[in-house]
Amino acid sequence: MEFDSQFKWYRYMTVSEFDQQLNEERTTQTKLDWLRQLRIKDVNFTRAELGVLYGSIVTWQNPDDKSDRRFICYYITPTELITIGLSEHIISLATPFDPKTAFDAFYAILSLQMNTYFAGIDDFEKELFSRQDELRGNINENSLDSIFALRDTIENWSDLIVPFQELILAGQEAFVAVIDFEHHLPFRLAKQRVERLLMLIEHYQKDIEVLLDLSTTVSNFRGNEIMKALTIFTAVATPMMALGAIWGMNFKNMPELDWKYGYAGALTLILITTGGIFYWMKWRGWLGALVRMPKKRTKK
């Protein structure tokens, strides 16, 4: 069985418009199921049955408010294509494909929609590289916030692209008995663009994870070095505090108070014990320099 050379394409701007049209004619159970789910779902969903593919797909969503989004709703059979929310601009761009089947028309739309994402991915790449340059040698308390912002952005892209990948698989599942997919250009193009977008997203996700690991590692080192510095200061200052506490007591009989050189002797003892502890810790190798990031290079 092959697709018919001609097919019917019904286009609606809203679900309500399609609902009204559906009430005026006899319809199939799958269309009723599709309409019912469109009424209750506001996220991606895909249903693949033998010879029928239907659902909705998010084509844009606000990274700051993911409830702010745009959809394309679709219903595909070998001889019929129904779309809801598809702009006339995208439809006009599909004309050069000269689709002869509902299957070709739908995947031409998908490939065109995905083609618009590459510009956004390129803008993200510029932002990522710029942030990498800023963070090189200058990781501070604000670094994690900027890295998390990058991760949120790339996750938003991933949320958009993965449903397109599902549609590539679902299309093969729904029409496995009636089509040779490798001979349909729109399908092959959509498949290649999905793979390319997912490759880019995976690569940038790894870059962000490296930045996150670096920032976390440097923060941990700095925290450890701060604790180390405080411990060293406490150890070095211990003789001074201990001897000061002893000679700050108010006992009646303290013979040191009557020594002619008692004050000089006390200072000498404090300096000797403090210096002794300092050099002993240095000899043990406990006074290593704090972790320092390489200085940020200035552009000439």
Side-chain angles (χ1 to χ4, degrees):
M1 175 181 177
E2 295 292 333
F3 279 116
D4 294 341
S5 59
Q6 301 295 326
F7 68 98
K8 296 180 180 180
W9 187 349
Y10 303 97
R11 300 191 290 272
Y12 304 91
M13 291 309 299
T14 65
V15 175
S16 298
E17 183 181 346
F18 172 67
D19 190 4
Q20 182 179 358
Q21 179 66 31
L22 205 61
N23 290 331
E24 299 175 358
E25 61 184 35
R26 299 179 62 182
T27 187
T28 62
Q29 185 60 45
T30 54
K31 286 183 182 178
L32 292 174
D33 291 341
W34 178 48
L35 179 59
R36 178 179 56 81
Q37 294 190 61
L38 290 179
R39 290 170 177 165
I40 63 175
K41 291 180 180 293
D42 61 351
V43 294
N44 295 293
F45 77 94
T46 300
R47 299 293 180 268
E49 301 178 10
L50 196 59
V52 181
L53 177 66
Y54 63 90
S56 67
I57 186 168
V58 176
T59 57
W60 176 87
Q61 64 183 7
N62 187 341
D64 300 322
D65 180 10
K66 293 189 176 182
S67 63
D68 180 14
R69 55 182 61 165
R70 289 195 294 266
F71 289 89
I72 292 177
C73 307
Y74 54 88
Y75 182 94
I76 313 163
T77 69
T79 59
E80 183 181 36
L81 173 61
I82 303 173
T83 57
I84 303 175
L86 191 64
S87 69
E88 291 297 324
H89 175 65
I90 293 293
I91 295 172
S92 65
L93 293 177
T95 303
F97 287 92
D98 190 24
K100 296 295 191 299
T101 68
F103 182 87
D104 285 342
F106 179 67
Y107 281 93
I109 292 169
L110 289 189
S111 64
L112 289 168
Q113 183 64 52
M114 284 185 285
N115 197 42
T116 64
Y117 296 153
F118 288 106
I121 293 291
D122 290 341
D123 290 340
F124 173 80
E125 180 185 52
K126 293 177 183 177
E127 181 182 358
L128 175 62
F129 291 167
S130 175
R131 197 55 52 86
Q132 285 176 328
D133 289 338
E134 292 175 5
L135 294 178
R136 186 176 294 116
N138 191 30
I139 294 179
N140 52 45
E141 62 275 6
N142 297 320
S143 299
L144 280 177
D145 290 338
S146 63
I147 294 172
F148 284 140
L150 289 172
R151 189 167 69 173
D152 287 344
T153 302
I154 199 64
E155 288 299 326
N156 185 66
W157 280 111
S158 179
D159 291 341
L160 280 177
I161 304 305
V162 168
F164 284 86
Q165 183 185 35
E166 181 185 8
L167 271 177
I168 297 296
L169 300 175
Q172 296 177 87
E173 178 183 342
F175 303 110
V176 64
V178 296
I179 191 169
D180 182 2
F181 302 101
E182 295 305 318
H183 287 84
H184 288 254
L185 175 62
F187 177 81
R188 297 204 319 269
L189 183 58
K191 183 178 180 180
Q192 289 295 323
R193 285 179 176 171
V194 163
E195 292 175 353
R196 180 181 165 199
L197 284 167
L198 289 177
M199 179 274 294
L200 291 171
I201 288 172
E202 182 180 2
H203 174 73
Y204 296 142
Q205 284 175 329
K206 290 180 180 178
D207 283 351
I208 292 172
E209 290 303 318
V210 169
L211 283 178
L212 185 59
D213 289 343
L214 176 61
S215 179
T216 303
T217 300
V218 171
S219 297
N220 290 337
F221 270 122
R222 285 178 174 171
N224 292 337
E225 291 298 311
I226 289 172
M227 293 303 299
K228 177 181 177 180
L230 293 174
T231 302
I232 292 172
F233 176 81
T234 301
V236 171
T238 295
M240 185 186 310
M241 293 185 290
L243 294 174
I246 292 174
W247 286 316
M249 296 177 182
N250 294 319
F251 291 114
K252 185 176 182 179
N253 297 317
M254 295 186 69
E256 299 92 334
L257 299 179
D258 297 326
W259 291 355
K260 182 178 180 179
Y261 300 105
Y263 183 70
L267 291 178
T268 301
L269 180 60
I270 289 173
L271 290 174
I272 291 174
T273 53
T274 299
I277 290 177
F278 178 83
Y279 283 106
W280 178 74
M281 295 180 73
K282 185 175 181 180
W283 174 73
R284 297 284 297 181
W286 294 349
L287 299 179
L290 298 179
V291 172
R292 295 187 179 92
M293 295 299 295
K295 293 183 178 179
K296 191 175 183 180
R297 293 175 292 182
T298 57
K299 295 182 179 179
K300 296 182 179 180

